[in-house]
Amino acid sequence: VKLIWKGLGTKRVGLPMMMDDDYFFDEEDALTSIYPDNLDESFDIGGLSRVTKDQFRRGCDPQGIRWDQINITRSTYRNQRLLQYENYENLDDSARPRPHSSLKAEIDSHVTNRGHSFYEFENSEKQARANIVHFQLRNLVWATTSHDVFVTQAEDIQHFSYVTNKLTPILSRFEDSKEKISLDALHMSTMCVQGSICVAGGFFGDLVCVKLPSDIHSDDFTRASSPDTGKVLFSEKITSDENAITNSILLQESKQGALEAVITNNDSQIRILDVDNSFREVNRMHFPWPVNFATLSPDRNLVCVLGDSTECMLMDVTTSRRVAVCDMHLDYSFAAAWHPDGNIFATGNQDKTARIWDRRMMRCLATLGGRLGAIRSLRFTEDGRYMAMAEPADFVHIFDVKVRSSLVSSSDRLSQRRATLRTYRRSTSSERSLESASVPKMTPCLSVFLIACTEP
């Protein structure tokens, strides 16, 4: 996944202008920069453009890199990356409630069994590369089916089909239509796709929404305004604030079944817009810090909000009042996800951890540590069995959420803890006095090696 930088100011609070090589770089560029003398001039460092399941089973590298033609192994290079990578953090220990070193004990207290395989490699496709304009914002890849993937590329959103092996532009087909949109001014920072609706947000408060064409593979861009080839539903600025980067967009159904867009911006606000009703504003909430991500609970009663703060807030959607505050992270947060049962949610932070919370007790059930950097993305599967946790580079962790009904006291041995993300049994008062609680047993699999990981 290629990283680019367009020379735009970050507009993040307290951040200077920065270039792509300050933090993340492409795997190919990394190999060249770390070991330039070990490369044959005739060797194509890009390797294979696509790796299939059969090639992988025969020993081909999952990213198509020809390690046999480089004087370094994958494991050696991985160790170099782990040693050299510097995780970006906004806060130092002087600005934190406790030192970063205190996290190790919390992570170690929740035992995880490593090395399980929860999936099989299918293929990798370099044609579907996502461009990262802002290094902290990674909601740039969406899969709507098992074979339809949408990625941001330059100033457009591209659809890639694993059935046809074809890359199709989405937004650019509307530039010359009657419902014209200006991609040059958009500078995409985030996007979301659900069903036939595609929404993109930009650096300067711009929001664009299009209905996808019924024939997504069509090459005829001249008919973009006809009903069966998609249309522009919305294209306006939603904020005029100077610090207006659109940080995240999620498309979620309301209690009444209407499709709503939950949008967060650096102007310290959340906007919930009714997509089905000309993007009418349903709700707006203000916060004391720039909001990086927000997601509605499955019952749509609460919204989990996090941003340029160590705090994570749960807000009542109807009253816009604060229900609870979770404040155990040590830096700024950029990711959150709800378990389908609605009782458990996860938050991801630049302190290199994800935390699992039970909203009924407002208690942290587990602290999961990354290997390289900040936790930029989190997702539960629809059945709640697995959770994916993506770092900014190289690693995506998959956790198996075991469902158990037994209650374990906090005084039991840590290695014997068992629990569930789905049930919590309230028993006698004596058990509650021991702060008895269910704790999720998470089992991470072998990590996937990706550069600049976006949505898992």
Side-chain angles (χ1 to χ4, degrees), residues 124-141:
S124 63
E125 180 61 62
K126 285 192 176 182
Q127 189 180 169
R129 289 176 173 232
N131 296 148
I132 300 173
V133 178
H134 194 292
F135 74 98
Q136 289 173 308
L137 306 178
R138 301 305 181 87
N139 293 295
L140 306 172
V141 178

Side-chain angles (χ1 to χ4, degrees), residues 343-402:
N343 294 321
I344 301 298
F345 63 96
T347 56
N349 192 272
Q350 289 186 157
D351 62 12
K352 297 170 64 173
T353 70
R355 289 181 179 271
I356 312 298
W357 306 85
D358 188 323
R359 82 170 190 179
R360 297 161 296 185
M361 301 177 291
M362 287 316 303
R363 176 179 175 182
C364 179
L365 302 180
T367 305
L368 309 173
R371 293 195 62 188
L372 198 73
I375 307 305
R376 296 288 181 202
S377 185
L378 291 164
R379 290 292 186 276
F380 285 97
T381 53
E382 291 183 357
D383 62 2
R385 176 65 190 273
Y386 299 104
M387 187 189 79
M389 179 180 86
E391 301 188 45
D394 296 16
F395 294 100
V396 174
H397 307 271
I398 309 296
F399 294 89
D400 181 9
V401 182
K402 300 291 186 182

Side-chain angles (χ1 to χ4, degrees), residues 415-430:
S415 61
Q416 296 176 337
R417 292 191 176 214
R418 296 293 185 272
T420 173
L421 291 185
R422 195 175 299 275
T423 61
Y424 172 66
R425 179 171 65 84
R426 293 181 181 273
S427 188
T428 65
S429 59
S430 61

Side-chain angles (χ1 to χ4, degrees), residues 157-169:
I157 292 175
Q158 301 275 353
H159 166 260
F160 181 78
S161 170
Y162 279 96
V163 175
T164 64
N165 194 30
K166 183 179 179 181
L167 200 65
T168 306

Side-chain angles (χ1 to χ4, degrees), residues 229-245:
T229 55
K231 62 179 180 179
V232 178
L233 300 179
F234 186 85
S235 181
E236 294 180 17
K237 282 183 177 290
I238 61 172
T239 175
S240 57
D241 192 277
E242 181 181 356
N243 199 13
I245 301 176

Side-chain angles (χ1 to χ4, degrees), residues 165-185:
N165 194 30
K166 183 179 179 181
L167 200 65
T168 306
I170 299 299
L171 299 183
S172 59
R173 67 170 59 209
F174 298 103
E175 283 191 292
D176 298 324
S177 68
K178 292 181 180 179
E179 302 161 309
K180 184 176 180 180
I181 58 178
S182 176
L183 296 181
D184 290 336

